[in-house]
């Protein structure tokens, strides 16, 4: 009597007791589906985050910002009385200091990106018409970091920034509606701010407008009314803002793109140390903080892992309860089939034949429960990931990256689930099977 | 001419609850020899010990004392595993209440002993169909026991008993659950198997009428053989 035969007999018996078999499996189904659901969601989320991060600049991206060092507050009053420290002129992070940093770290830093909005939005007039724009001061590489493509001309350059030139890079939408599609490079545009002042810039380049990457503003239902960005040198924006009485106190925030193969966490730490030493060591009021995507990602991973472990523990309890249910039913089944055991023994079945038959049945129940659980788990994971995607889509523009949810069940979890359900079958099926095997054939035959 | 002894029992004693206050001796020293190809009946009232004797002959149980040689092999010293093989290969059981497995079709029931004999599935099916044909049940091969009459079920059970071509057919009240007409049909099959296939057949019954059909009648009472009569040789004890 081989294994195929045992499996066939097991299915025969399960089929003759459909409802009971299903109820027995329920504990296993719930346990396994819970594990698969959570691991599918976790896995999908991890993949989605990783993909989004890659889209945003990948794990090479480091965010750096200047912030005041807060003392340890003993009481609420201390906290309420604490005042944000004044920043001295020496402490201000200027474009020049940042350029020095970039030069010094040029072996590891690919790009440093700073932006500053120039006042509020305003209208901009070209040859053919007027369209609403938002003016943003940027450093070279801003468009690149946003993964926006240049259509013609050039990006804002280092020279533009150093010399504080009135140059501008405009969107293709702007070209379409303000210039009637003509090439605007080398032409002058006039931007009228809300307060009435007019600034003039020379157009040096055109980029392709991308709602997701650039963020859309204004009435997006009509292409004509979309407010696109006009990019000018950062220094020009800073200077103009200062002239208008808006002083941000130097660069407060910038992005660093590490070169490939550079450890972003280490680079972040060295960057912080560099600026702390160069700018803030005298007064000790401020510090530079760097956040890199790699460590952010690992934090998210850790949270997901803790969640997965927590759910898995609950699922394990459910599986043990399910296993006890299987054992219970197997014991009932052994008693019910006492006569059958007697008949089989009279026909020459050995103890091990009987043991294997009942053990196989328990394993088949558990494996079937496991398989159904896996199917339900994948379905749940798929559904919940899709719901999450639908909820997250509204943040796409805020994030400046496309969110594509890839649902992918965790293969490891599936393999472990299959092995685990088999183990439950063996562990909880062994005792009933042994009891069946050790029955005396005479007593079993006489059993009514 | 006398053939060789298939069954050779000497001083068989069977006790239950050995060493306990309620110790019970069922068989008090049975001597029994059955030669190859004999058709015998063991007759006795209920409680006479005939069922215990049957279990002993059928290798379902071991005697407490005495020796039992089945085809020259000493059963009383065998392991459970060896007894299983003996039951599988050398003995075919036919029970009063058929003892078919209800959720399996007739042919699958007949296949059970073949399965434990490790016959491959295809050969198993061929042999089972052959056996069903032998008892005239091949057209009902795929019916389950509850779809068959008592007589039909008993014929399937006989086919199953014959599965591994055993030397001995051990029938315990095979007509007990049948009306007299179907009972005769079943008895006819035993006679045919005896005549055509030279099986040693042991019929356990309480019915004198049925016992008269056999060549030799052994009467058991209170755990002792009290009569052993050959049909054509008169009393031997």
């Amino acid at each position: 009597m081989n294994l195929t035969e045992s499996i066939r007999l097991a299915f025969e018996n399960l089929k003759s007791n459909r409802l009971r078999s299903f109820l027995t499996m329920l504990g296993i189904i719930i346990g396994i589906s819970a594990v698969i659901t959570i691991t599918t969601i976790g896995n999908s989320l991890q993949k989605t985050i990783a993909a989004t991060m890659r889209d945003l600049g990948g794990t090479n991206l480091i965010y750096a910002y200047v912030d005041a060092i807060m003392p340890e507050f003993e009481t609420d009053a201390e906290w309420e009385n604490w005042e944000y420290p004044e920043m001295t002129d020496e402490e201000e992070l200027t474009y020049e200091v940042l350029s020095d940093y970039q030069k010094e770290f040029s072996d590891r830093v690919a790009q440093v990106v700073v932006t500053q909005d120039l006042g509020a939005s305003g209208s901009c007039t070209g040859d053919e018409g007027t369209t609403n724009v938002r003016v943003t001061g940027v450093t070279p590489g801003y468009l690149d970091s946003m993964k926006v493509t240049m259509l013609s001309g050039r990006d804002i350059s280092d020279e533009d920034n150093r010399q504080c030139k009135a140059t501008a890079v405009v969107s293709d939408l702007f070209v379409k509606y303000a210039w009637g599609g003509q090439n605007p490079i080398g032409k002058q545009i006039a931007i009228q701010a809300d307060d009435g002042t007019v600034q003039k810039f020379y157009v040096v380049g055109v980029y392709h407008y991308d709602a997701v990457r650039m963020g859309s503003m204004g009435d997006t239902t009509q292409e004509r009314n979309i407010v696109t960005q006009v990019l000018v040198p950062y220094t020009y924006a800073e200077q103009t803002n200062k002239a208008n009485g808006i002083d941000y106190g130097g660069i407060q925030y910038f992005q660093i793109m590490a070169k490939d193969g550079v450890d972003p966490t280490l680079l972040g730490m060295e960057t912080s140390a560099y600026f702390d030493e160069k700018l803030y060591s005298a007064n000790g009021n401020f510090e530079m903080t760097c956040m890199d995507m790699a460590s952010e990602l690992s934090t998210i991973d850790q949270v997901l892992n803790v969640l997965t472990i927590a759910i898995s523990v609950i699922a394990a309890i459910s599986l043990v309860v399910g296993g006890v249910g299987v054992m219970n039913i197997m014991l009932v089944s052994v008693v019910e089939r006492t006569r059958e055991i007697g008949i089989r023994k009279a026909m020459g079945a050995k103890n091990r034949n009987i043991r294997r038959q009942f053990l196989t049945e328990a394993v088949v129940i558990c494996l079937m429960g496991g398989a159904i659980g896996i199917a339900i788990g994948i379905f749940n994971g798929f559904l919940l990931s899709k719901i999450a995607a639908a909820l997250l889509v509204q943040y796409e523009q805020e994030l400046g990256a496309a969110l594509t949810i890839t649902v992918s069940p965790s293969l490891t979890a599936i393999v472990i689930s299959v092995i685990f359900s088999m183990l439950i079958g063996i562990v909880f099926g062994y005792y009933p099977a042994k009891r069946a095997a050790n029955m005396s054939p005479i007593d079993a035959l006489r059993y009514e | 001419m006398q053939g060789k002894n298939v069954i050779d029992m000497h001083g068989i004693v069977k006790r239950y609850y050995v060493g306990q206050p309620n110790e019970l001796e069922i068989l008090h020293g049975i001597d029994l020899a059955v030669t190859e190809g004999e058709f015998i009946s063991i007759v006795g009232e209920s409680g006479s010990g005939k069922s215990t004797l049957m279990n002993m002959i059928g290798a379902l149980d071991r005697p407490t004392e005495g020796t039992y040689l089945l085809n020259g092999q000493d059963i009383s010293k065998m392991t459970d595993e060896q007894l299983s093989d003996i039951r599988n290969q050398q003995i075919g059981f036919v029970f009063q209440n058929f003892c078919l497995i209800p959720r399996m079709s007739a042919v699958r029931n007949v296949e059970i002993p073949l399965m434990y004999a490790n016959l491959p599935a295809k050969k198993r099916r061929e042999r089972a169909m052959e056996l069903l044909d032998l008892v005239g049940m091949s057209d009902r091969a795929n019916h389950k026991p509850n779809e068959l009459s008592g007589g039909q079920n008993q014929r399937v059970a006989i086919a199953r008993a014959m599965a591994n071509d055993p030397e001995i057919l051990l029938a315990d009240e095979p007509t007990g659950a049948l009306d007299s007409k179907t009972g005769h049909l079943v008895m006819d099959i035993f006679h045919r198997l005896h005549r055509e296939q030279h099986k040693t057949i042991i019929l356990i019954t309480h019915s004198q009428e049925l016992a008269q059909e056999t060549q030799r009648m052994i009467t058991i009472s209170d755990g002792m053989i009290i009569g052993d009569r050959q049909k054509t040789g008169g009393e031997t004890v």
Side-chain angles (χ1 to χ4, degrees), chain A residues 8-51:
Chain A
R8 185 180 163 181
L9 286 171
F11 273 106
E12 249 174 31
N13 192 50
L14 292 186
K15 248 175 24 195
S16 65
N17 268 315
R18 273 171 224 267
L19 181 64
R20 193 165 86 178
S21 307
F22 172 73
L23 291 177
T24 309
M25 285 174 204
L26 210 54
I28 311 284
I29 293 174
I30 291 169
I32 297 282
S33 65
V35 175
I36 297 295
T37 303
I38 189 70
T39 49
T40 302
I41 293 172
N43 210 35
S44 306
L45 222 55
Q46 264 161 333
K47 285 208 170 155
T48 304
I49 290 166

Side-chain angles (χ1 to χ4, degrees), chain A residues 21-271:
Chain A
S21 307
F22 172 73
L23 291 177
T24 309
M25 285 174 204
L26 210 54
I28 311 284
I29 293 174
I30 291 169
I32 297 282
S33 65
V35 175
I36 297 295
T37 303
I38 189 70
T39 49
T40 302
I41 293 172
N43 210 35
S44 306
L45 222 55
Q46 264 161 333
K47 285 208 170 155
T48 304
I49 290 166
T52 308
M53 289 296 171
R54 253 197 315 280
D55 202 43
L56 276 174
T59 47
N60 290 351
L61 203 59
I62 301 167
Y63 293 105
Y65 59 92
V66 186
D67 207 358
I69 300 171
M70 277 207 218
E72 296 269 338
F73 299 114
E74 301 270 319
T75 62
D76 282 356
E78 263 182 55
W79 185 78
E80 275 162 29
N81 292 331
W82 181 72
E83 276 176 29
Y84 201 87
E86 284 285 326
M87 189 174 260
T88 62
D89 286 349
E90 292 77 39
E91 283 175 325
E92 275 187 20
L93 175 55
T94 60
Y95 182 78
E96 281 73 29
V97 174
L98 201 58
S99 293
D100 289 347
Y101 159 79
Q102 195 172 356
K103 244 173 251 155
E104 196 160 330
F105 282 76
S106 61
D107 56 331
R108 279 170 291 167
V109 171
Q111 246 169 33
V112 175
V113 177
V114 190
T115 62
Q116 188 172 121
D117 275 3
L118 178 60
S121 54
S123 63
C124 177
T125 310
D127 262 10
E128 294 279 317
T130 302
T131 173
N132 286 326
V133 293
R134 188 160 61 102
V135 186
T136 309
V138 298
T139 54
Y142 167 75
L143 283 175
D144 218 21
S145 76
M146 300 290 274
K147 301 233 188 314
V148 170
T149 43
M150 289 293 293
L151 293 175
S152 60
R154 60 167 178 87
D155 194 2
I156 298 293
S157 68
D158 182 45
E159 199 191 322
D160 291 339
N161 269 290
R162 285 188 184 281
Q163 295 176 18
C164 210
K165 282 185 180 170
T167 49
V169 175
V170 296
S171 72
D172 51 354
L173 279 188
F174 174 84
V175 173
K176 189 172 171 187
Y177 293 107
W179 290 85
Q182 298 167 43
N183 182 11
I185 290 171
K187 304 269 173 64
Q188 206 177 37
I189 53 166
I191 295 172
Q192 188 174 26
D194 292 340
D195 62 3
T197 56
V198 174
Q199 314 256 357
K200 288 188 173 172
F201 299 93
Y202 283 97
V203 177
V204 293
V206 179
Y207 68 84
H208 173 62
Y209 171 75
D210 181 328
V212 169
R213 305 207 182 274
M214 305 291 288
S216 54
M217 292 182 76
D219 178 8
T220 50
T221 54
Q222 273 186 297
E223 204 182 49
R224 172 110 192 49
N225 295 336
I226 293 174
V227 177
T228 63
Q229 275 180 303
V230 169
L231 307 174
V232 301
Y234 168 78
T235 48
Y236 187 91
E238 191 183 48
Q239 198 183 59
T240 313
N241 279 334
K242 270 186 183 162
N244 290 331
I246 305 162
D247 188 354
Y248 290 108
I251 297 164
Q252 296 291 320
Y253 162 86
F254 59 95
Q255 287 177 22
I256 303 161
M257 291 282 287
K259 281 189 173 163
D260 285 338
V262 173
D263 177 1
T265 313
L266 192 66
L267 179 60
M269 279 159 62
E270 285 179 44
T271 303

Side-chain angles (χ1 to χ4, degrees), chain B residues 147-185:
Chain B
E147 297 160 353
L148 299 172
S149 72
Q152 288 172 326
N153 273 326
Q154 197 59 301
R155 275 145 72 190
V156 172
I158 293 169
R160 184 180 62 181
M162 292 286 293
N164 287 320
D165 200 16
E167 295 231 41
I168 302 166
L169 280 185
L170 198 53
D172 183 13
E173 302 277 12
T175 60
L178 306 174
D179 59 61
S180 60
K181 200 179 154 216
T182 38
H184 282 301
L185 268 164

Side-chain angles (χ1 to χ4, degrees), chain B:
Chain B
M1 197 193 118
Q2 195 90 345
K4 65 159 182 155
N5 278 353
V6 188
I7 291 168
D8 213 337
M9 286 182 151
H10 282 289
I12 295 291
V13 172
K14 183 65 191 178
R15 279 189 214 104
Y16 290 101
Y17 314 112
V18 176
Q20 286 169 31
N22 56 347
E23 189 177 301
L24 191 64
E25 193 171 294
I26 303 290
L27 300 177
H28 313 293
I30 300 270
D31 296 316
L32 176 68
V34 180
T35 45
E36 202 176 5
E38 261 192 301
F39 192 166
I40 73 165
S41 55
I42 297 174
V43 194
E45 302 294 314
S46 56
S48 60
K50 66 180 192 305
S51 291
T52 309
L53 183 60
M54 186 204 86
N55 290 339
M56 220 64 72
I57 296 171
L60 285 166
D61 206 354
R62 291 186 202 83
T64 317
E65 278 172 29
T67 54
Y68 169 23
L69 301 179
L70 180 76
N71 276 327
Q73 293 169 289
D74 193 352
I75 293 289
S76 40
K77 295 193 173 54
M78 281 189 177
T79 62
D80 282 354
E81 192 121 317
Q82 288 169 313
L83 289 182
S84 292
D85 282 335
I86 294 284
R87 291 195 295 266
N88 185 244
Q89 294 296 322
Q90 303 191 20
I91 294 165
F93 288 91
V94 179
F95 301 96
Q96 177 175 7
N97 44 19
F98 327 129
C99 282
L100 297 170
I101 295 174
R103 59 167 196 282
M104 292 165 92
S105 65
V107 66
R108 295 264 296 139
N109 264 290
V110 177
E111 281 180 15
I112 293 173
L114 300 167
M115 181 175 81
Y116 292 120
N118 292 320
L119 214 68
K122 207 174 153 233
K123 285 208 172 137
R124 214 149 70 197
R125 183 54 54 104
E126 278 170 23
R127 171 81 179 139
M129 289 308 291
E130 246 174 65
L131 290 159
L132 283 175
D133 201 35
L134 185 74
V135 296
M137 285 296 296
S138 48
D139 55 333
R140 296 296 177 100
N142 293 316
H143 289 247
K144 287 183 178 166
N146 62 1
E147 297 160 353
L148 299 172
S149 72
Q152 288 172 326
N153 273 326
Q154 197 59 301
R155 275 145 72 190
V156 172
I158 293 169
R160 184 180 62 181
M162 292 286 293
N164 287 320
D165 200 16
E167 295 231 41
I168 302 166
L169 280 185
L170 198 53
D172 183 13
E173 302 277 12
T175 60
L178 306 174
D179 59 61
S180 60
K181 200 179 154 216
T182 38
H184 282 301
L185 268 164
V186 165
M187 282 308 289
D188 286 347
I189 295 174
F190 283 116
H191 285 296
R192 207 177 79 220
L193 291 173
H194 176 240
R195 211 170 45 238
E196 291 170 6
Q197 307 212 8
H198 312 292
K199 296 285 166 204
T200 307
I201 299 174
I202 299 170
L203 181 73
I204 288 121
T205 182
H206 68 277
S207 151
Q208 291 285 338
E209 192 197 339
L210 217 57
Q212 295 300 335
E213 289 189 29
T214 63
Q215 296 170 323
R216 179 182 169 197
M217 186 167 83
I218 290 157
T219 313
I220 184 167
S221 178
D222 280 332
M224 311 257 273
I225 292 178
I226 56 161
D228 189 344
R229 204 170 51 194
Q230 293 277 353
K231 211 175 188 179
T232 52
E235 298 275 323
T236 51
V237 172

